[in-house]
Amino acid sequence: MWPPTVQVVGKDILRFHAVYWPAMLMSAGIELPERIFAHGWWTRNGEKISKSLGNVIDPFELVDDYGKDQTRFFLMAESRFGADADFDDARMVEKCNAALANSYGNLVQRTLSQIYKNCDGKIPARGDLTDADREILEKCAGCYEDTKGFVDSQEIHNYVGHLLSLIRDLNAYIDMQEPWKLKKTDFARMETVLNVLVDAIRRVTIAFQPVIPDSSGKILDQMGVPEGDRMMKDIANDDKAVAEGTEI
């Protein structure tokens, strides 16, 4: 397990870990970490966190109050890793509701409910693709390549931000295509739109697993994505698309 690719330390002990500790390793003939990254501090509602102020944040209480995925999501999305960040309870509720429930959750619910009601609960067939279909699929298929640099440089907030941007694009796509109207005017086109949505959501959800693992797993389960097809390498793989006729 040694040396680490990145050694993460608090900014107050940077001198020891960037000067003295490497010197000790070199004198012992032990390989150095490739990088050292110093994280910042969290404040709470604009105040320094301290026991005397009584504003200490207990992560276990956050999980109990808001949920594990919601806590992970907020801490990764809200802070610029490396800089100081402020924790605000109202902001956490607002951001999780807006991003996870209203944007992401609503997208998944709208897509799968349309399939359940109009396609006998099975993934529909994909017909000819339009430019809009290809554009959204290409965007989502490229999300791993587009974001891996953020992870390499510890820009976790930008990683999450990119995925949220894709979800906004997908919501715009479903609003523009209106599959609920296509049901009456062009059933085959409705099936193609829903198929494209499922495949695009599959790709984004795989990328979301490190951030919200439980929720991502449930969504992938519901869409019938096999557990062996949920790796980052599967995002851009068209052969890993959920098979037509798969029950949701």
Side-chain angles (χ1 to χ4, degrees):
M1 299 299 291
W2 191 269
T5 303
V6 181
Q7 180 182 347
V8 180
V9 300
K11 64 180 183 179
D12 59 329
I13 54 172
L14 183 58
R15 177 183 296 180
F16 177 86
H17 283 277
V19 180
Y20 307 130
W21 173 238
M24 295 177 189
L25 293 175
M26 292 172 69
S27 67
I30 299 175
E31 193 172 356
L32 302 180
E34 294 181 19
R35 298 180 63 217
I36 298 175
F37 190 90
H39 64 74
W41 304 136
W42 280 92
T43 57
R44 185 167 196 174
N45 300 323
E47 293 185 313
K48 181 180 179 181
I49 294 176
S50 68
K51 291 181 179 179
S52 60
L53 292 175
N55 62 349
V56 173
I57 301 173
D58 186 333
F60 294 102
E61 290 182 2
L62 289 181
V63 171
D64 289 340
D65 291 341
Y66 302 113
K68 183 171 67 175
D69 279 3
Q70 290 79 357
T71 300
R72 290 169 63 100
F73 168 79
F74 181 77
L75 296 180
M76 293 186 191
E78 186 71 5
S79 66
R80 181 178 178 275
F81 197 47
D84 292 346
D86 187 65
F87 181 88
D88 181 280
D89 295 86
R91 173 64 179 159
M92 180 169 181
V93 172
E94 176 188 5
K95 193 173 185 77
C96 288
N97 282 341
L100 297 183
N102 298 337
S103 186
Y104 190 23
N106 189 45
L107 169 68
V108 174
Q109 190 276 333
R110 287 200 290 173
T111 300
L112 298 186
S113 65
Q114 288 287 317
I115 294 174
Y116 185 79
K117 290 187 296 184
N118 302 326
C119 306
D120 297 324
K122 298 178 181 179
I123 302 298
R126 178 184 297 187
D128 294 334
L129 297 179
T130 65
D131 290 342
D133 300 336
R134 295 188 187 91
E135 181 181 1
I136 199 67
L137 286 172
E138 288 172 4
K139 277 186 177 181
C140 295
C143 68
Y144 172 61
E145 290 296 328
D146 292 339
T147 59
K148 66 179 182 180
F150 295 143
V151 176
D152 292 340
S153 57
Q154 285 73 60
E155 298 177 59
I156 308 301
H157 65 296
N158 283 332
Y159 179 88
V160 177
H162 185 86
L163 299 182
L164 293 179
S165 177
L166 290 176
I167 289 170
R168 288 191 293 271
D169 290 341
L170 282 167
N171 275 304
Y173 171 82
I174 193 174
D175 288 339
M176 179 179 65
Q177 300 299 325
E178 298 181 317
W180 47 88
K181 290 185 178 180
L182 290 171
K183 174 188 176 182
K184 301 177 181 178
T185 60
D186 191 340
F187 196 83
R189 175 61 188 159
M190 179 207 71
E191 290 184 313
T192 296
V193 169
L194 293 174
N195 182 290
V196 167
L197 281 165
V198 166
D199 196 32
I201 293 171
R202 171 188 70 88
R203 299 173 194 266
V204 175
T205 302
I206 289 173
F208 244 133
Q209 288 178 112
V211 183
I212 47 173
D214 290 349
S215 300
S216 298
K218 291 176 182 177
I219 292 171
L220 293 171
D221 285 344
Q222 194 171 3
M223 294 195 305
V225 179
E227 291 190 8
D229 294 343
R230 302 180 183 185
M231 304 296 289
M232 289 295 187
K233 63 181 176 61
D234 297 322
I235 291 175
N237 191 341
D238 292 333
D239 293 336
K240 299 297 184 179
V242 184
E244 298 172 8
T246 300
E247 293 189 3
I248 63 171

